[in-house]
Tab-separated table of all heavy atoms in Angstrom:
chain	number	residue	atom	x	y	z
A	105	SER	N	4.920	-4.509	-20.363
A	105	SER	CA	4.641	-3.096	-20.086
A	105	SER	C	4.689	-2.788	-18.592
A	105	SER	O	4.967	-1.654	-18.196
A	105	SER	CB	3.271	-2.713	-20.655
A	105	SER	OG	2.243	-3.512	-20.072
A	106	GLY	N	4.449	-3.804	-17.766
A	106	GLY	CA	4.432	-3.591	-16.323
A	106	GLY	C	5.776	-3.235	-15.717
A	106	GLY	O	5.835	-2.813	-14.559
A	107	VAL	N	6.881	-3.411	-16.473
A	107	VAL	CA	8.195	-3.055	-15.936
A	107	VAL	C	8.794	-1.850	-16.666
A	107	VAL	O	9.971	-1.538	-16.489
A	107	VAL	CB	9.172	-4.254	-15.983
A	107	VAL	CG1	8.686	-5.378	-15.089
A	107	VAL	CG2	9.395	-4.737	-17.410
A	108	ALA	N	7.991	-1.162	-17.470
A	108	ALA	CA	8.500	-0.013	-18.234
A	108	ALA	C	9.029	1.085	-17.318
A	108	ALA	O	10.054	1.711	-17.604
A	108	ALA	CB	7.410	0.538	-19.148
A	109	HIS	N	8.334	1.321	-16.203
A	109	HIS	CA	8.802	2.368	-15.283
A	109	HIS	C	10.130	1.966	-14.659
A	109	HIS	O	11.036	2.795	-14.501
A	109	HIS	CB	7.757	2.633	-14.201
A	109	HIS	CG	7.958	3.926	-13.466
A	109	HIS	ND1	6.994	4.480	-12.647
A	109	HIS	CD2	9.012	4.784	-13.423
A	109	HIS	CE1	7.450	5.606	-12.137
A	109	HIS	NE2	8.672	5.814	-12.587
A	110	ALA	N	10.283	0.696	-14.321
A	110	ALA	CA	11.539	0.225	-13.738
A	110	ALA	C	12.693	0.355	-14.732
A	110	ALA	O	13.806	0.757	-14.360
A	110	ALA	CB	11.396	-1.217	-13.278
A	111	ILE	N	12.447	0.038	-16.017
A	111	ILE	CA	13.499	0.211	-17.031
A	111	ILE	C	13.857	1.687	-17.147
A	111	ILE	O	15.038	2.061	-17.221
A	111	ILE	CB	13.056	-0.321	-18.404
A	111	ILE	CG1	12.635	-1.782	-18.330
A	111	ILE	CG2	14.179	-0.157	-19.425
A	111	ILE	CD1	12.077	-2.331	-19.634
A	112	THR	N	12.843	2.538	-17.166
A	112	THR	CA	13.071	3.982	-17.269
A	112	THR	C	13.943	4.475	-16.133
A	112	THR	O	14.860	5.278	-16.325
A	112	THR	CB	11.729	4.733	-17.270
A	112	THR	OG1	10.935	4.286	-18.369
A	112	THR	CG2	11.944	6.235	-17.380
A	113	ALA	N	13.661	4.003	-14.930
A	113	ALA	CA	14.438	4.429	-13.765
A	113	ALA	C	15.854	3.870	-13.796
A	113	ALA	O	16.813	4.550	-13.410
A	113	ALA	CB	13.728	3.990	-12.485
A	114	ALA	N	16.010	2.636	-14.257
A	114	ALA	CA	17.315	1.974	-14.210
A	114	ALA	C	18.287	2.516	-15.256
A	114	ALA	O	19.488	2.648	-15.002
A	114	ALA	CB	17.137	0.471	-14.400
A	115	GLN	N	17.785	2.831	-16.468
A	115	GLN	CA	18.681	3.247	-17.547
A	115	GLN	C	19.204	4.664	-17.309
A	115	GLN	O	18.601	5.453	-16.616
A	115	GLN	CB	17.963	3.151	-18.895
A	115	GLN	CG	16.682	3.957	-19.014
A	115	GLN	CD	16.895	5.399	-19.441
A	115	GLN	OE1	17.909	5.756	-20.047
A	115	GLN	NE2	15.933	6.246	-19.134
A	116	ARG	N	20.363	4.957	-17.931
A	116	ARG	CA	21.040	6.233	-17.691
A	116	ARG	C	21.290	7.033	-18.963
A	116	ARG	O	22.062	7.984	-18.944
A	116	ARG	CB	22.402	5.973	-17.022
A	116	ARG	CG	22.330	5.292	-15.659
A	116	ARG	CD	21.750	6.243	-14.608
A	116	ARG	NE	21.854	5.696	-13.266
A	116	ARG	CZ	20.930	4.944	-12.675
A	116	ARG	NH1	19.820	4.644	-13.347
A	116	ARG	NH2	21.082	4.490	-11.461
A	117	ILE	N	20.632	6.683	-20.070
A	117	ILE	CA	20.956	7.357	-21.330
A	117	ILE	C	19.787	8.103	-21.943
A	117	ILE	O	19.997	8.995	-22.770
A	117	ILE	CB	21.533	6.363	-22.366
A	117	ILE	CG1	20.495	5.305	-22.750
A	117	ILE	CG2	22.814	5.732	-21.849
A	117	ILE	CD1	20.934	4.405	-23.901
A	118	ASP	N	18.562	7.772	-21.593
A	118	ASP	CA	17.385	8.378	-22.222
A	118	ASP	C	16.669	9.267	-21.211
A	118	ASP	O	15.796	8.819	-20.474
A	118	ASP	CB	16.447	7.281	-22.737
A	118	ASP	CG	15.329	7.840	-23.614
A	118	ASP	OD1	15.033	9.050	-23.501
A	118	ASP	OD2	14.752	7.073	-24.408
A	119	PHE	N	17.037	10.546	-21.201
A	119	PHE	CA	16.450	11.473	-20.240
A	119	PHE	C	15.062	11.935	-20.667
A	119	PHE	O	14.289	12.412	-19.843
A	119	PHE	CB	17.390	12.664	-20.017
A	119	PHE	CG	18.525	12.338	-19.091
A	119	PHE	CD1	19.686	11.754	-19.575
A	119	PHE	CD2	18.423	12.582	-17.730
A	119	PHE	CE1	20.721	11.431	-18.720
A	119	PHE	CE2	19.452	12.262	-16.867
A	119	PHE	CZ	20.608	11.679	-17.353
A	120	ASP	N	14.737	11.794	-21.945
A	120	ASP	CA	13.380	12.132	-22.376
A	120	ASP	C	12.365	11.195	-21.722
A	120	ASP	O	11.298	11.621	-21.277
A	120	ASP	CB	13.258	12.043	-23.903
A	120	ASP	CG	13.966	13.182	-24.604
A	120	ASP	OD1	14.226	14.208	-23.942
A	120	ASP	OD2	14.277	13.048	-25.799
A	121	ARG	N	12.690	9.908	-21.676
A	121	ARG	CA	11.781	8.950	-21.028
A	121	ARG	C	11.647	9.261	-19.533
A	121	ARG	O	10.561	9.156	-18.969
A	121	ARG	CB	12.292	7.527	-21.232
A	121	ARG	CG	11.877	6.900	-22.563
A	121	ARG	CD	12.166	5.403	-22.548
A	121	ARG	NE	11.509	4.724	-23.664
A	121	ARG	CZ	12.135	4.328	-24.767
A	121	ARG	NH1	13.428	4.570	-24.904
A	121	ARG	NH2	11.469	3.705	-25.724
A	122	LYS	N	12.741	9.600	-18.902
A	122	LYS	CA	12.678	9.933	-17.476
A	122	LYS	C	11.791	11.161	-17.253
A	122	LYS	O	10.960	11.198	-16.358
A	122	LYS	CB	14.090	10.196	-16.939
A	122	LYS	CG	14.949	8.939	-16.797
A	122	LYS	CD	16.296	9.275	-16.193
A	122	LYS	CE	17.195	8.051	-16.053
A	122	LYS	NZ	16.706	7.088	-15.049
A	123	ARG	N	11.986	12.152	-18.120
A	123	ARG	CA	11.214	13.393	-17.966
A	123	ARG	C	9.723	13.140	-18.185
A	123	ARG	O	8.876	13.673	-17.459
A	123	ARG	CB	11.729	14.434	-18.963
A	123	ARG	CG	11.302	15.868	-18.641
A	123	ARG	CD	11.961	16.859	-19.580
A	123	ARG	NE	13.419	16.772	-19.509
A	123	ARG	CZ	14.201	16.353	-20.502
A	123	ARG	NH1	13.670	15.980	-21.661
A	123	ARG	NH2	15.506	16.310	-20.365
A	124	ASP	N	9.393	12.320	-19.162
A	124	ASP	CA	7.985	12.002	-19.413
A	124	ASP	C	7.352	11.319	-18.201
A	124	ASP	O	6.209	11.613	-17.834
A	124	ASP	CB	7.852	11.109	-20.648
A	124	ASP	CG	8.137	11.854	-21.945
A	124	ASP	OD1	8.151	13.096	-21.927
A	124	ASP	OD2	8.347	11.179	-22.979
A	125	ARG	N	8.077	10.382	-17.590
A	125	ARG	CA	7.571	9.701	-16.396
A	125	ARG	C	7.399	10.679	-15.238
A	125	ARG	O	6.419	10.625	-14.491
A	125	ARG	CB	8.529	8.584	-15.983
A	125	ARG	CG	8.350	7.303	-16.761
A	125	ARG	CD	7.137	6.535	-16.283
A	125	ARG	NE	6.953	5.314	-17.063
A	125	ARG	CZ	5.958	4.464	-16.873
A	125	ARG	NH1	5.062	4.704	-15.928
A	125	ARG	NH2	5.842	3.389	-17.620
A	126	ALA	N	8.358	11.568	-15.080
A	126	ALA	CA	8.276	12.554	-14.008
A	126	ALA	C	7.074	13.480	-14.210
A	126	ALA	O	6.387	13.847	-13.254
A	126	ALA	CB	9.567	13.363	-13.936
A	127	GLU	N	6.813	13.846	-15.469
A	127	GLU	CA	5.665	14.710	-15.771
A	127	GLU	C	4.353	14.043	-15.377
A	127	GLU	O	3.413	14.697	-14.912
A	127	GLU	CB	5.642	15.041	-17.267
A	127	GLU	CG	6.781	15.943	-17.731
A	127	GLU	CD	6.504	17.418	-17.485
A	127	GLU	OE1	5.452	17.730	-16.885
A	127	GLU	OE2	7.341	18.242	-17.888
A	128	VAL	N	4.268	12.730	-15.560
A	128	VAL	CA	3.070	11.997	-15.148
A	128	VAL	C	2.871	12.109	-13.647
A	128	VAL	O	1.753	12.345	-13.156
A	128	VAL	CB	3.178	10.510	-15.570
A	128	VAL	CG1	2.049	9.692	-14.941
A	128	VAL	CG2	3.134	10.383	-17.082
A	129	ALA	N	3.953	11.965	-12.882
A	129	ALA	CA	3.860	12.075	-11.423
A	129	ALA	C	3.447	13.484	-11.005
A	129	ALA	O	2.642	13.663	-10.077
A	129	ALA	CB	5.205	11.703	-10.790
A	130	ILE	N	3.991	14.486	-11.691
A	130	ILE	CA	3.638	15.875	-11.361
A	130	ILE	C	2.167	16.155	-11.657
A	130	ILE	O	1.466	16.784	-10.861
A	130	ILE	CB	4.543	16.852	-12.143
A	130	ILE	CG1	5.990	16.728	-11.665
A	130	ILE	CG2	4.042	18.300	-11.985
A	130	ILE	CD1	6.986	17.462	-12.550
A	131	LYS	N	1.696	15.680	-12.799
A	131	LYS	CA	0.298	15.901	-13.173
A	131	LYS	C	-0.649	15.260	-12.154
A	131	LYS	O	-1.639	15.870	-11.726
A	131	LYS	CB	0.030	15.330	-14.563
A	131	LYS	CG	-1.385	15.570	-15.071
A	131	LYS	CD	-1.559	15.040	-16.489
A	131	LYS	CE	-2.981	15.288	-16.993
A	131	LYS	NZ	-3.156	14.772	-18.382
A	132	ALA	N	-0.331	14.027	-11.742
A	132	ALA	CA	-1.184	13.338	-10.774
A	132	ALA	C	-1.171	14.050	-9.435
A	132	ALA	O	-2.220	14.231	-8.799
A	132	ALA	CB	-0.712	11.893	-10.607
A	133	ALA	N	0.009	14.486	-8.996
A	133	ALA	CA	0.114	15.166	-7.707
A	133	ALA	C	-0.575	16.529	-7.737
A	133	ALA	O	-1.225	16.943	-6.763
A	133	ALA	CB	1.580	15.324	-7.315
A	134	THR	N	-0.461	17.229	-8.870
A	134	THR	CA	-1.116	18.536	-8.994
A	134	THR	C	-2.633	18.388	-8.898
A	134	THR	O	-3.309	19.158	-8.217
A	134	THR	CB	-0.728	19.198	-10.334
A	134	THR	OG1	0.686	19.387	-10.373
A	134	THR	CG2	-1.423	20.541	-10.495
A	135	GLY	N	-3.165	17.376	-9.577
A	135	GLY	CA	-4.602	17.130	-9.490
A	135	GLY	C	-5.043	16.773	-8.088
A	135	GLY	O	-6.067	17.277	-7.595
A	136	ALA	N	-4.275	15.918	-7.418
A	136	ALA	CA	-4.620	15.524	-6.055
A	136	ALA	C	-4.518	16.697	-5.102
A	136	ALA	O	-5.365	16.867	-4.203
A	136	ALA	CB	-3.700	14.392	-5.594
A	137	ALA	N	-3.495	17.539	-5.275
A	137	ALA	CA	-3.328	18.701	-4.404
A	137	ALA	C	-4.440	19.718	-4.617
A	137	ALA	O	-4.926	20.338	-3.665
A	137	ALA	CB	-1.965	19.345	-4.653
A	138	THR	N	-4.843	19.894	-5.867
A	138	THR	CA	-5.937	20.830	-6.155
A	138	THR	C	-7.228	20.370	-5.486
A	138	THR	O	-7.962	21.163	-4.897
A	138	THR	CB	-6.144	20.943	-7.675
A	138	THR	OG1	-4.931	21.401	-8.285
A	138	THR	CG2	-7.275	21.903	-8.009
A	139	THR	N	-7.503	19.080	-5.561
A	139	THR	CA	-8.687	18.529	-4.907
A	139	THR	C	-8.608	18.699	-3.402
A	139	THR	O	-9.574	19.089	-2.741
A	139	THR	CB	-8.840	17.038	-5.255
A	139	THR	OG1	-8.958	16.912	-6.676
A	139	THR	CG2	-10.067	16.447	-4.584
A	140	ALA	N	-7.422	18.407	-2.852
A	140	ALA	CA	-7.249	18.548	-1.403
A	140	ALA	C	-7.371	20.005	-0.971
A	140	ALA	O	-7.987	20.319	0.049
A	140	ALA	CB	-5.885	17.997	-0.992
A	141	GLY	N	-6.805	20.900	-1.800
A	141	GLY	CA	-6.856	22.315	-1.454
A	141	GLY	C	-8.245	22.898	-1.533
A	141	GLY	O	-8.533	23.916	-0.917
A	142	ALA	N	-9.130	22.260	-2.304
A	142	ALA	CA	-10.499	22.758	-2.443
A	142	ALA	C	-11.345	22.454	-1.215
A	142	ALA	O	-12.431	22.990	-1.060
A	142	ALA	CB	-11.153	22.142	-3.676
A	143	SER	N	-10.866	21.576	-0.337
A	143	SER	CA	-11.604	21.305	0.893
A	143	SER	C	-11.399	22.462	1.857
A	143	SER	O	-10.392	23.165	1.785
A	143	SER	CB	-11.134	19.986	1.517
A	143	SER	OG	-9.751	20.030	1.763
A	144	PRO	N	-12.351	22.699	2.771
A	144	PRO	CA	-12.310	23.904	3.617
A	144	PRO	C	-11.295	23.799	4.749
A	144	PRO	O	-11.635	23.706	5.914
A	144	PRO	CB	-13.739	23.989	4.158
A	144	PRO	CG	-14.190	22.563	4.179
A	144	PRO	CD	-13.564	21.911	2.985
A	145	ILE	N	-10.001	23.787	4.378
A	145	ILE	CA	-8.948	23.824	5.398
A	145	ILE	C	-7.992	24.942	5.033
A	145	ILE	O	-7.752	25.203	3.852
A	145	ILE	CB	-8.188	22.489	5.477
A	145	ILE	CG1	-7.581	22.138	4.120
A	145	ILE	CG2	-9.069	21.364	5.978
A	145	ILE	CD1	-6.657	20.936	4.168
A	146	PRO	N	-7.432	25.628	5.999
A	146	PRO	CA	-6.477	26.697	5.691
A	146	PRO	C	-5.242	26.115	5.009
A	146	PRO	O	-4.788	25.032	5.358
A	146	PRO	CB	-6.124	27.265	7.072
A	146	PRO	CG	-7.187	26.770	7.988
A	146	PRO	CD	-7.652	25.462	7.432
A	147	PHE	N	-4.675	26.843	4.053
A	147	PHE	CA	-3.484	26.373	3.360
A	147	PHE	C	-2.317	26.220	4.329
A	147	PHE	O	-1.444	25.370	4.136
A	147	PHE	CB	-3.112	27.347	2.235
A	147	PHE	CG	-1.901	26.890	1.449
A	147	PHE	CD1	-2.013	25.853	0.543
A	147	PHE	CD2	-0.673	27.472	1.644
A	147	PHE	CE1	-0.916	25.418	-0.174
A	147	PHE	CE2	0.425	27.037	0.925
A	147	PHE	CZ	0.301	26.023	0.008
A	148	SER	N	-2.289	27.045	5.370
A	148	SER	CA	-1.194	26.958	6.323
A	148	SER	C	-1.180	25.602	7.026
A	148	SER	O	-0.146	25.148	7.496
A	148	SER	CB	-1.302	28.076	7.356
A	148	SER	OG	-2.550	27.988	8.025
A	149	ASP	N	-2.347	24.958	7.098
A	149	ASP	CA	-2.412	23.614	7.663
A	149	ASP	C	-2.208	22.641	6.507
A	149	ASP	O	-3.154	22.128	5.923
A	149	ASP	CB	-3.761	23.385	8.344
A	149	ASP	CG	-3.846	21.993	8.956
A	149	ASP	OD1	-2.805	21.315	9.006
A	149	ASP	OD2	-4.943	21.598	9.369
């Protein structure tokens, strides 16, 4: 299971698997950005 992401990235025929992996990255980044944005800093910074 530890190389599943590498197989997903290497293969060129299953775009559903690629999209699912990308969605995981987006979800994690959205959560991290929301937490960061909640701190008292201007968005412009």
Side-chain angles (χ1 to χ4, degrees):
S105 60
V107 296
H109 197 167
I111 304 175
T112 301
Q115 57 86 23
R116 298 290 189 270
I117 64 172
D118 190 339
F119 281 86
D120 287 341
R121 276 192 167 103
K122 288 183 181 292
R123 197 174 302 113
D124 289 345
R125 278 283 179 181
E127 291 277 4
V128 170
I130 294 169
K131 183 177 180 180
T134 299
T138 301
T139 301
S143 57
I145 58 172
F147 182 75
S148 58
D149 181 10

